[in-house]
Amino acid sequence: MTSIHIIVFLPLLAALVAGLGQRFIGAVASKTITTAGLFTASLLSWPIFIGFLNGSETAYVAPVMNWVQSGDLSFDWELRVDALTAVMLVVITTVSALVHLYSWGYMEEDPDQPRFFAYLSLFTFAMLMLVTANNLVQMFFGWEGVGLASYLLIGFWYKKPSANAAAIKAFVVNRVGDLGFMLGIFGVFWLFGTVSIPEILAAAPDKVGSSIGFLGMRVDTMSLLCILLFIGAMGKSAQLGLHTWLPDAMEGPTPVSALIHAATMVTAGVFMVCRLSPLFETSQFALNVVTIVGATTAIFAATVGLVQTDIKRVIAYSTCSQLGYMFFAAGSGAYGAAMFHLFTHAFFKALLFLGAGSVIHAMHHEQDMRYYGGLRKHIPLTFWAMMAGTLAITGVGIVGVGGLAGFYSKDAIIEAAFASNSTYHMYAFTIGVVAALLTSFYSWRLMFLTFFGTPRWAQSEHIQHAIHDHAVHDEPAHESDGHGHAKHAHGEGTGGYHPHESPLSMLIPLGVLTLGAVFAGFAFHGGFIEAETGKAFWANSTLFFNEHLMHAMHEVPLWVKLSSTVAMLTGLVVAYLMYQQSKDAPQRLASAFAPLYRFFLNKWYFDELYNAVFIRPAFWFGRLFWKQGDIGIIDRFGPNGSAAVVSFGSKLAVKMQSGYLYTYALVMLLGLVSAVSWMMVRT
């Protein structure tokens, strides 16, 4: 057994032990086994990544077992290890290990901790299966495994109707995207006669220019297949149109949000496009679609994030926007930059989500930022961690000198879009700069509302309950809030409540992720986006590395390099003026632009549109088939009708069983007459 086998299957083993054996080993043992398994996998993943980065590792395939042999369809279960896999291994295992450790403190009072930790490890295993796949069927297995695990985690608090609804929504919306992915896989097998990824990518250039019949039309084969595959990516990575599940996924515990949004499910679509990048390179039309969808998603989510008041939803829409950046980078041909932003994003987005969880923990699980304020003095470690995450996501840095993680990766994407020099890519460049400004604004808005200004805790119903508990018991309260979380109340501070810093198990992951948010861009940018080192690094993978584009993006005009920084500073200044200087400015602005404000607040009315176009008609047809079809026809003439006939016949038979001899003689005579009459007619 090699290290890659241990990395992939250790989380599965831990999930099985914790999930099936929880009654025998208890909560502490379940948490210990799953957390230790993920830290072991993470420690084994980093040497693989560093080995590819410095050139000491080469790509290889580790067999697991023979899997399917059916006619022309043949493939084995094997684990592909290359530079692309190595990037995903460190992202997935590192963030997941830290989320496991963080959950020790965050889920401390939850009675179902073993189940929660088992789901976390199962989620991680499914994602590892996806990124190590050497064929499309194995990738789809991991793809669906992640979907199942996300359903279980989003709906973990299954007694909450909103959590169940969010889990179902995520599952159904992803099934729509998965239909496109399945059709893409079927089409690829039909065209290439194999599901092996290396064989498909090697044969792809020979299929350029071919056409296929689809929906009564002749269309370009490669464009059709790439777009079908991309539809699958849109669902998993919450791109515009199939994005509606992502904000509702906040109904799950905050560690789940960090895992889904930073390292696992939402990055699966970006990874798949980069894994199959030589296939996408055969269709400029498909790349243009990826570019447009990615850029539009970036601006859509950024505008919605401007007006959200729930701290987790602001960060959720930020994730959606950042995924848009990754996709339009891929559509521009800058796959290395897309993977680099995926890599850095994992650190600062996990940091922001876990930091938000620490704030929520301190504020008695209040998530509305309007009831925060002045928290930097009470939870200083959380404040500095979230400050690092904010500096990273907004791209703070100095051109020619350096900066935090987002400065390297997001600026590289914007420069690559400009260097691609086409109408679609200029659209992406413009949107990227505007979205950078909006990202800066809503990120600093979050910081100002949460950590600066005067405390507004006394207005919170959650805090008032905590104060009441304290007054009744005359001591800090620690009972459950109904979701398994502990209530914490202290009789100091504004309104009789004193926010508290999180336990060490939650602060250690914040510290580690802070280091990643600050230094990951500086330490690793060469291997991802520099022409020479990047070419050597990605040569050990299936990723298409456009060396010419990498040279061109570093030679763009100075104003292009400065555009993202100017956008970041503009967003910071506007947020400061609105939320620190003129406190009534947001309200006045919302009133002055009420229709636009409502448009953003209602998320461009996508949910309402889908409800009118899809959900209500689906329920109407469902009720029609249920009432008229199932009950009115099938039950009426099927089981109910059969039962009625049998009942009627039995009643007649009962009447004939009178017990009198002359009745039976009459029946026999009638039967004899009938038989003789039938014979006479036949003759």
Side-chain angles (χ1 to χ4, degrees):
M1 180 177 288
T2 63
S3 60
I4 188 61
H5 291 98
I6 298 173
I7 292 170
V8 172
F9 291 106
L10 192 56
L12 174 62
L13 179 62
L16 292 174
V17 172
L20 301 178
Q22 55 180 291
R23 294 186 178 181
F24 304 101
I25 64 177
V28 174
S30 297
K31 295 190 294 184
T32 303
I33 291 170
T34 52
T35 305
L38 263 298
F39 271 97
T40 301
S42 180
L43 291 174
L44 292 174
S45 298
W46 276 97
I48 296 176
F49 172 66
I50 298 301
F52 279 105
L53 204 59
N54 62 28
S56 61
E57 284 272 7
T58 56
Y60 63 93
V61 174
V64 176
M65 66 177 186
N66 296 331
W67 199 359
V68 172
Q69 178 68 55
S70 177
D72 295 333
L73 179 62
S74 175
F75 55 88
D76 296 330
W77 190 353
E78 49 193 14
L79 308 177
R80 180 177 184 83
V81 183
D82 59 12
L84 194 57
T85 307
V87 173
M88 297 303 296
L89 288 180
V90 296
V91 166
I92 295 165
T93 58
T94 302
V95 173
S96 183
L98 294 173
V99 167
H100 274 71
L101 178 59
Y102 181 93
S103 300
W104 277 65
Y106 193 86
M107 303 294 290
E108 182 181 5
E109 300 297 323
D110 198 289
D112 288 334
Q113 292 178 70
R115 179 167 63 92
F116 179 76
F117 280 83
Y119 288 170
L120 286 182
S121 292
L122 179 64
F123 200 129
T124 307
F125 163 73
M127 191 65 191
L128 291 170
M129 281 298 303
L130 191 158
V131 301
T132 56
N134 199 38
N135 63 74
L136 292 178
V137 178
Q138 186 179 329
M139 180 181 286
F140 189 72
F141 172 77
W143 194 271
E144 294 302 293
V146 170
L148 169 64
S150 68
Y151 170 80
L152 296 173
L153 284 169
I154 294 169
F156 176 75
W157 288 324
Y158 57 86
K159 294 182 180 179
K160 290 175 58 180
S162 59
N164 288 327
I168 293 171
K169 187 175 184 179
F171 197 83
V172 171
V173 173
N174 273 275
R175 296 294 72 74
V176 175
D178 292 349
L179 174 62
F181 192 29
M182 285 189 290
L183 292 175
I185 294 174
F186 296 155
V188 167
F189 177 69
W190 171 84
L191 182 64
F192 295 97
T194 180
V195 292
S196 170
I197 292 175
E199 293 178 17
I200 292 168
L201 300 184
D206 296 333
K207 305 297 182 180
V208 175
S210 62
S211 63
I212 185 175
F214 183 72
L215 300 178
M217 303 176 291
R218 297 299 297 182
V219 297
D220 181 72
T221 305
M222 302 310 295
S223 295
L224 174 64
L225 295 181
C226 289
I227 289 174
L228 288 173
L229 293 170
F230 178 60
I231 290 173
M234 288 175 64
K236 272 292 181 287
S237 296
Q239 293 300 281
L240 190 67
L242 295 178
H243 68 280
T244 53
W245 67 270
L246 192 62
D248 290 355
M250 299 300 97
E251 289 293 337
T254 298
V256 173
S257 304
L259 195 58
I260 290 177
H261 285 248
T264 53
M265 187 168 176
V266 297
T267 61
V270 179
F271 167 81
M272 185 264 284
V273 171
C274 290
R275 171 64 84 195
L276 302 178
S277 53
L279 191 69
F280 279 82
E281 283 294 313
T282 62
S283 170
Q284 187 59 50
F285 176 77
L287 289 177
N288 292 339
V289 170
V290 174
T291 301
I292 294 171
V293 171
T296 308
T297 302
I299 194 66
F300 153 75
T303 58
V304 176
L306 295 175
V307 297
Q308 299 299 306
T309 57
D310 186 314
I311 188 172
K312 287 174 64 176
R313 285 185 177 268
V314 174
I315 304 173
Y317 279 106
S318 169
T319 297
C320 193
S321 182
Q322 298 304 308
L323 288 165
Y325 275 98
M326 298 176 206
F327 275 112
F328 81 67
S332 302
Y335 302 101
M339 287 303 300
F340 188 32
H341 198 51
L342 185 156
F343 180 79
T344 60
H345 177 264
F347 292 104
F348 59 70
K349 187 51 59 70
L351 176 60
L352 288 171
F353 263 117
L354 297 185
S358 185
V359 171
I360 295 168
H361 184 270
M363 294 301 292
H364 189 65
H365 298 276
E366 174 62 71
Q367 296 182 197
D368 195 326
M369 297 183 297
R370 292 173 296 182
Y371 303 136
Y372 291 169
L375 286 176
R376 71 184 187 279
K377 298 177 182 178
H378 300 277
I379 48 174
L381 298 178
T382 299
F383 164 69
W384 285 112
M386 290 202 70
M387 177 62 76
T390 301
L391 294 172
I393 193 174
T394 56
V396 171
I398 301 175
V399 175
V401 177
L404 280 75
F407 171 78
Y408 289 94
S409 58
K410 188 161 66 176
D411 284 24
I413 290 174
I414 292 174
E415 292 164 11
F418 182 86
S420 296
N421 197 28
S422 76
T423 303
Y424 300 103
H425 300 129
M426 289 307 297
Y427 167 75
F429 165 74
T430 305
I431 291 296
V433 174
V434 175
L437 187 154
L438 300 182
T439 300
S440 178
F441 175 82
Y442 66 65
S443 297
W444 288 110
R445 170 179 176 264
L446 183 153
M447 292 297 292
F448 291 139
L449 285 175
T450 303
F451 294 105
F452 294 87
T454 57
R456 301 177 296 278
W457 318 326
Q459 304 170 34
S460 168
E461 183 179 345
H462 292 277
I463 303 303
Q464 291 303 317
H465 285 172
I467 296 172
H468 173 72
D469 291 338
H470 171 69
V472 170
H473 299 291
D474 197 29
E475 62 180 3
H478 296 282
E479 66 271 17
S480 171
D481 69 348
H483 305 312
H485 288 113
K487 291 180 178 180
H488 302 274
H490 301 273
E492 304 173 18
T494 301
Y497 186 79
H498 178 67
H500 52 285
E501 190 63 273
S502 299
L504 197 60
S505 61
M506 295 171 65
L507 293 177
I508 290 175
L510 292 180
V512 175
L513 290 169
T514 298
L515 294 176
V518 173
F519 297 111
F522 171 77
F524 301 112
H525 71 278
F528 285 89
I529 58 175
E530 297 296 336
E532 298 303 325
T533 53
K535 181 180 179 181
F537 177 55
W538 294 117
N540 274 297
S541 75
T542 62
L543 183 135
F544 179 86
F545 188 77
N546 190 331
E547 187 178 0
H548 171 73
L549 180 61
M550 291 301 103
H551 281 294
M553 61 180 274
H554 294 300
E555 297 170 359
V556 297
L558 181 61
W559 70 267
V560 175
K561 294 178 179 290
L562 292 173
S563 60
S564 182
T565 300
V566 172
M568 178 272 296
L569 292 173
T570 303
L572 168 59
V573 171
V574 174
Y576 177 79
L577 293 175
M578 291 183 64
Y579 292 95
Q580 289 297 106
Q581 293 296 305
S582 180
K583 301 296 181 64
D584 62 338
Q587 183 62 42
R588 287 189 286 106
L589 196 62
S591 300
F593 298 95
L596 186 62
Y597 174 76
R598 287 194 297 270
F599 183 68
F600 292 162
L601 189 63
N602 288 282
K603 302 158 287 188
W604 292 24
Y605 292 100
F606 269 99
D607 283 312
E608 289 78 4
L609 176 64
Y610 288 175
N611 188 55
V613 175
F614 299 114
I615 298 174
R616 287 183 181 176
F619 274 100
W620 184 85
F621 277 110
R623 283 190 295 268
L624 175 67
F625 287 123
W626 170 36
K627 296 287 188 180
Q628 305 301 324
D630 192 12
I631 296 176
I633 297 176
I634 297 175
D635 285 351
R636 181 181 179 185
F637 297 104
N640 293 346
S642 301
V645 171
V646 171
S647 177
F648 178 75
S650 65
K651 289 178 181 178
L652 288 178
V654 166
K655 290 181 178 179
M656 295 175 64
Q657 299 297 323
S658 64
Y660 294 106
L661 183 61
Y662 60 80
T663 302
Y664 300 143
L666 176 62
V667 172
M668 293 173 62
L669 179 61
L670 291 174
L672 181 62
V673 170
S674 298
V676 171
S677 300
W678 181 75
M679 290 295 297
M680 291 176 65
V681 171
R682 287 288 303 269
T683 303

